[in-house]
Amino acid sequence: MKKVWIDTDPGIDDTYAIAMLLADPQIEITGVSTVFGNVTVEKTTRNAKLLMEAAGKEHLPLARGAAIPLYVPLDTSPFVHGANGLGDMLLPEAHMQESALRAPQAIIDAILNNPHEVTLLPIGPLTNIAMAVILEPRIIDLVKEVVIMGGAVHCPGNITPAAEANFFHDPHAAQIVLSAGWKVVLAGLDVCSQGLIPQQLLEKIGNGKSPLAPYMKGSLPFFQNFLKLFEMGNTVTLPDTLASAYLLNPDMFTIEKAYLFVETEGNCMGQSLAVPRGKWYEDPNSKRRYTADDHIGSVDVLLDVDQDEFQKLIENYLV
Ligand code: BDR
Ligand code: CA
């Protein structure tokens, strides 16, 4: 069994990513936490509750997390995910009780209670994860790994030319999490843009066996309409599904080791930049020279995915 803690901002693609994990009997979801991102944390928490209820997982801990980023102003993406975060589909009321703990403490407890066993799967802005590290640095050595959907290493961003949305929405948190010194696997836009799901398969998923099928079917049209602005829409990529796919079958990915630094200011805010170790740089203010080593983290960047295998996996788990 693989113990996974999901930190999420559902979110249309988050819903697909969670549905994939629910479908694997080898995955034990130990808990779910929510964060602002695609919409406010109020809405992502309501949506996460609805997804857990649909899956019959009301017994799992569901911990509400950050309402705002560590430093930059709050920004959300309702134009991508709908004002309610699930493509503006009609939503029932959520009833599930949320955990008394807030997300960072719930994450800390899950890791301390299961040393070296819990994989963290953050598929939203990294605010909760950064706060957990700040509050309890012991989790750095006690987590199994941190598999993140975020960043864009060798390709342009999706929210600005330089930045991917999850890193853009809290660049300081992303920088803290990447440089913490734990094992990080990054499903960034490099690989997420390869996770194509054709229309026919999307339709099968919408009518498929997943308990989340109604939410996938109901929320997708909004996202496809958004993509039509860019003359896309029939074949979609759902970024968060690549992070789940890595947990389900890491062998279908090629990986590059890189040292990454996240830009926290200016036009390139949220950019994930590969930096060579040991190189000297100059501080723009003090003019003192320094090495970037204290600020960069070693990351396994998912570079390529076997697209046939990815589609087969999606079909196996969701149809
Ligand atoms: C990421 O940002 C959000 O819009 C998605 O849910 C995904 O986690 C993609 O850049
Ligand atoms: Ca997400």
Side-chain angles (χ1 to χ4, degrees), residues 8-11 13-14 38 81 123-125 149 166 240:
T8 177
D9 60 338
D13 57 333
D14 300 72
N38 291 320
H81 293 266
I123 51 176
M149 190 284 127
N166 287 340
D240 292 340

Side-chain angles (χ1 to χ4, degrees), residues 1-130:
M1 284 297 255
K2 216 177 216 178
K3 292 186 197 294
V4 180
W5 184 284
I6 306 171
D7 187 73
T8 177
D9 60 338
I12 297 171
D13 57 333
D14 300 72
T15 303
Y16 284 75
I18 293 168
M20 290 164 71
L21 298 179
L22 286 167
D24 190 330
Q26 292 308 312
I27 299 281
E28 180 192 333
I29 300 176
T30 51
V32 175
S33 48
T34 57
V35 62
F36 76 89
N38 291 320
V39 286
T40 61
V41 76
E42 201 61 50
K43 292 175 183 170
T44 61
T45 306
R46 184 264 324 270
N47 296 348
K49 287 181 186 176
L50 291 175
L51 300 179
M52 290 300 104
E53 287 172 20
K57 301 285 184 193
E58 298 95 323
H59 58 281
L60 290 180
L62 189 148
R64 179 185 292 248
I68 53 170
L70 294 182
Y71 185 69
V72 297
L74 174 67
D75 177 47
T76 57
S77 304
F79 46 93
V80 185
H81 293 266
N84 70 5
L86 289 175
D88 287 343
M89 67 181 285
L90 209 59
L91 296 175
E93 233 181 88
H95 298 291
M96 181 178 165
Q97 275 281 332
E98 58 191 76
S99 161
L101 297 176
R102 289 303 194 219
Q105 191 60 52
I107 291 168
I108 290 168
D109 289 357
I111 296 171
L112 295 185
N113 292 334
N114 302 276
H116 310 292
E117 282 191 85
V118 177
T119 295
L120 284 182
L121 184 76
I123 51 176
L126 289 158
T127 323
N128 292 333
I129 314 296

Side-chain angles (χ1 to χ4, degrees), residues 245-246 249-254 304-307 309-311 313:
Y246 175 79
N249 180 8
D251 294 339
M252 65 186 179
F253 292 90
T254 53
D304 291 303
V305 65
D306 180 326
Q307 299 201 11
E309 286 299 317
F310 175 73
Q311 283 185 19
L313 181 135

